[in-house]
Amino acid sequence: MSKSLEGVRVLDMTHVQSGPTCTQILAWFGADVIKVERPGVGDATRGQLRDIPDVDSLYFTMLNHNKRSVTLNPKSPKGNRIFTRLIEECDIMVENFAPGALDRMGFSWEKIQEINPRMIYASVKGFGPGPYEDCKVYENVAQCTGGSASTTGMVDGPPLVTAAQIGDSGTGIHLVAGILAALHHRTHSGRGQRVTCAMQDAVLNLCRVKLRDQQRLAKGPLKEYPQYPNGKFGEAVPRAGNASGGGQPGWIVKCKDWETDPDSYIYIITQAAAFAGLAKAMGREEWLDESHQWSTPEGRLPHLDQVFAEIEKWTMTKNKFEVMEILNPLNVPCGPILSMKELAGEPSLRATGTVVEVDHPERGKFLSIGNPIKLSESPSDVRRSPLLGEHTEEILKGVVGLSDEEIEEARAEGAV
Ligand code: CAO
């Protein structure tokens, strides 16, 4: 079966996480992704958080699957000419350097358009136009400035960052959507365009339910938040612990052996339509009696802490999987807290290719995450990340069209 982006060539000027996430998805869909790396150095993450000396780190290998690597310094005279040829030969260019880095290399958007008017030029930056546009930004800065940290954490605790890399990987995924839209637009306009996504904007987009709540707060207390009815609301949306972000109350409750197993917990949503089933399963039919204050969703709202405390007494008698087995058939949405260890060994995730074992010539076998987006006609396979400059010669000959002699000259100049 052919791949959905077969025939599309990507000039990948990305590093660290946000940009590589984007180009990895394009590569999984079958695009020929040519990762340009500084000669002798490469993407800084090759050497970061290493678990095996002198071997590309898991950080790098898990973010750069299915790509080819060419070493090239576009700042050198010969490198500049090779880079110009690559711009001519590619459909999409992606970068996430600090603001202005590509311009300083001599490749502004105007110049890129001049070289290849069909080029789609996509960038991740920390911030959009405004007071912070020149700032360098990493994941947690984006989480803090995009509304996530302010709204994450327990009620009386400090702001918290989340482990999900919503600033880096989240922005990379947003960028993919922009690139594919521009690629579609090019099929009838014949022209490329500039695609930008700021990490602050992507995080804020992912936190849009909290901007919803900010506006609801102006009309009165947020009744599904743990601060209701006894705590205080300030002027901004507060942190809400593990309360559900939607219209159905939810919370994390302990399960059997929680004292020794840090992941023996389950999230339970007391969806109105399934509350009767939940109460019956727990042997608490009295809650359904019309005279009981918890018999209606409105009646339960001011007492959610007590409701979940009662539910927890029941869940603590069972393990998280037993709770799920009882509640799922009753349409009570619930999810056990699965550890990374459990996820790594989960057979269904292996079967769908979401967790895959990959072989690497230097590190051997390791686990990675495959493409979570499944296409029926063009499924993804996961290939190992390239070694630094592994495809330099192949690309200089096959894509740029250099002779052996020209490659030697470029090498002598330090351009590749
Ligand atoms: N050959 C020669 N030079 C190269 C090169 C190559 N192949 N590739 C990159 N460089 C140079 C650039 O030209 C630039 O040099 P100048 O600053 O002298 O112009 C430099 O390497 C890259 O600089 P940088 O400022 O991007 O790198 P950094 O490690 O200092 O900062 C980061 C990293 C991530 C903070 C910054 O790139 C950034 O803010 N990016 C945008 C936001 C972003 O994506 N953040 C997410 C980071 S995690 O995914």
Side-chain angles (χ1 to χ4, degrees), residues 15 17-18 38 72-73 75 96-98 104 136-137 168:
H15 67 156
Q17 186 181 160
S18 64
R38 201 195 306 225
L72 178 68
N73 180 357
K75 292 173 177 169
N96 69 311
F97 288 123
R104 288 194 290 280
K136 292 189 178 190
V137 168
D168 279 344

Side-chain angles (χ1 to χ4, degrees), residues 143-155:
Q143 288 196 25
C144 292
T145 57
S148 178
S150 158
T151 52
T152 303
M154 298 314 275
V155 173

Side-chain angles (χ1 to χ4, degrees), residues 365-376:
K365 293 202 165 87
F366 68 100
L367 279 191
S368 196
I369 313 286
N371 192 349
I373 309 163
K374 319 290 185 195
L375 268 58
S376 65

Side-chain angles (χ1 to χ4, degrees), residues 58 99 116 124 142 154 210 253 276 315 347 352 416:
L58 287 165
N116 180 359
V124 170
M154 298 314 275
K210 295 297 176 180
V253 287
T315 56
T352 57
V416 297

Side-chain angles (χ1 to χ4, degrees), residues 375-401:
L375 268 58
S376 65
E377 291 300 308
S378 32
S380 303
D381 55 351
V382 179
R383 280 178 278 123
R384 70 165 173 86
S385 59
L387 302 174
L388 179 61
E390 184 175 345
H391 305 96
T392 299
E393 199 166 318
E394 177 182 305
I395 288 162
L396 293 180
K397 282 185 183 168
V399 181
V400 180

